[in-house]
């Protein structure tokens, strides 16, 4: 399968008879980290849900590494190498960190050698070392920041080539936000991994992504390099802090 990334054009999607997205176009090259920004209700989460096969797509094209995603179920998209970290974390509270991580790979690949699962878990714990001492703790006992790390780690267990991350900073204390951002930043350079990050806080997206699309009312209203867009995006509009001075 050729590794030529994600291409979306003229995307229309929504829920039942309620349209949310109107002609959205975006792309993510292999190894690229791209942000989707916008105010509440802009269609950011729906964009990721449409890419993952959760929201209904009514028009447009979605291609990942040359494969038409519209013909694939959510599980098939995961098998193709698309990982998804939903808004609100949604870890399995009654399961331990270990079991949550194991579920991340076994939910995509039914038969995985035990040694390979162990190696994948070790890799995730190297990215999120604060989870290691709490390996046997149930996810419901973790802090919000730890749950967010676990949600990202669970998605990484399937070794995705494209990781869709929805609002990782939402509801977290500043210290936890910093830890999650640092971990996401550490994913830069991982072989074959691209990230499409939905964020409302422009300052966080700017730390991780070099390029961005700005949504408003279900349409792309701006796109380009983060450095070029940053000064035109107001903190009040997006609910984020202004970039700190050097």
């Amino acid at each position: 399968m050729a590794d030529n990334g994600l291409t979306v054009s003229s995307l229309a999607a929504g829920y039942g008879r309620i349209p949310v997205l109107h002609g959205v176009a975006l792309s993510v090259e292999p190894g690229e980290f791209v942000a989707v920004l916008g105010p509440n209700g802009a269609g950011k989460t729906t964009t990721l849900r449409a890419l993952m096969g959760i929201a209904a797509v009514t028009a447009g094209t979605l291609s990942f590494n040359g494969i038409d995603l519209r013909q694939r179920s959510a599980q098939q998209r995961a098998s193709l190498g698309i990982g998804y970290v939903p808004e609100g974390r949604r870890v399995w509270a009654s399961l331990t960190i270990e079991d949550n991580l194991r579920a991340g790979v076994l939910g995509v690949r039914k038969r995985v050698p035990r040694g390979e699962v162990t190696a994948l878990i070790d890799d995730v714990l190297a990215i999120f070392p604060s989870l290691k001492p709490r390996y046997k703790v149930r996810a419901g006992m973790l802090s919000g920041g730890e749950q967010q790390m676990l949600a990202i780690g669970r998605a990484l267990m399937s070794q995705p080539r494209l990781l869709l991350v929805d609002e990782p900073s939402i509801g977290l204390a500043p210290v936890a936000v910093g830890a999650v951002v640092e971990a996401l930043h550490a994913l830069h350079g991982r072989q074959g991994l691209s990230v499409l990050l939905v964020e409302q806080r422009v300052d966080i997206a700017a730390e991780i992504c070099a390029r961005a699309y700005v949504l408003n009312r279900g349409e792309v209203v701006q796109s380009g390099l983060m450095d070029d867009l940053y000064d035109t995006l107001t903190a009040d509009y997006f609910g984020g802090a202004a970039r700190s001075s050097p």
Side-chain angles (χ1 to χ4, degrees):
M1 181 169 59
D3 193 2
N4 53 12
L6 174 74
T7 303
V8 177
S9 63
S10 303
L11 175 64
Y15 307 97
R17 296 183 178 180
I18 303 174
V20 178
L21 304 180
H22 315 282
V24 168
L26 58 83
S27 64
V28 183
E29 297 294 327
E32 190 178 25
F33 282 44
V34 177
V36 178
L37 305 170
N40 286 331
K44 304 185 302 297
T45 290
T46 301
T47 298
L48 294 195
R49 290 172 64 87
L51 295 177
M52 201 63 219
I54 302 171
V57 173
T58 56
T61 60
L62 299 84
S63 174
F64 180 60
N65 293 334
I67 295 175
D68 182 2
L69 292 181
R70 290 194 63 177
Q71 306 303 315
R72 307 283 175 151
S73 67
Q75 185 172 1
Q76 289 171 329
R77 297 181 200 203
S79 298
L80 289 172
I82 301 177
Y84 179 48
V85 183
E87 181 183 3
R89 301 176 282 278
R90 299 184 191 176
V91 296
W92 288 290
S94 62
L95 300 182
T96 64
I97 288 176
E98 176 186 9
D99 290 338
N100 268 274
L101 293 177
R102 290 183 182 278
V105 63
L106 296 176
V108 177
R109 298 164 54 194
K110 297 304 180 185
R111 297 181 180 179
V112 186
R114 181 176 300 178
E116 183 179 345
V117 174
T118 300
L120 289 169
I121 290 175
D122 288 343
D123 186 39
V124 168
L125 294 179
I127 299 169
F128 302 106
S130 63
L131 296 181
K132 193 168 185 178
R134 313 198 71 188
Y135 187 55
K136 298 292 185 178
V137 173
R138 292 196 304 272
M141 303 297 292
L142 303 178
S143 69
E146 290 168 335
Q147 288 183 359
Q148 185 65 73
M149 293 177 192
L150 178 56
I152 296 169
R154 183 180 61 191
L156 290 173
M157 286 291 294
S158 64
Q159 297 179 287
R161 299 163 81 176
L162 171 65
L163 187 62
L164 310 175
V165 185
D166 194 359
E167 297 272 20
S169 70
I170 194 167
L172 299 185
V175 172
V177 170
V180 170
V181 169
E182 183 179 346
L184 285 170
H185 202 277
L187 297 180
H188 278 277
R190 285 176 67 89
Q191 186 174 8
L193 179 64
S194 307
V195 171
L196 186 61
L197 171 71
V198 157
E199 253 301 337
Q200 191 171 341
R201 287 184 53 177
V202 184
D203 58 319
I204 289 175
E207 288 192 50
I208 304 167
C209 302
R211 196 163 62 83
Y213 294 89
V214 182
L215 289 183
N216 196 16
R217 298 181 179 180
E219 299 180 348
V220 175
V221 294
Q222 287 178 282
S223 64
L225 298 176
M226 280 296 316
D227 284 345
D228 294 337
L229 291 172
Y230 198 97
D231 291 338
T232 70
L233 306 178
T234 68
D236 288 341
Y237 186 66
F238 290 98
R243 177 182 287 177
S244 57
S245 300

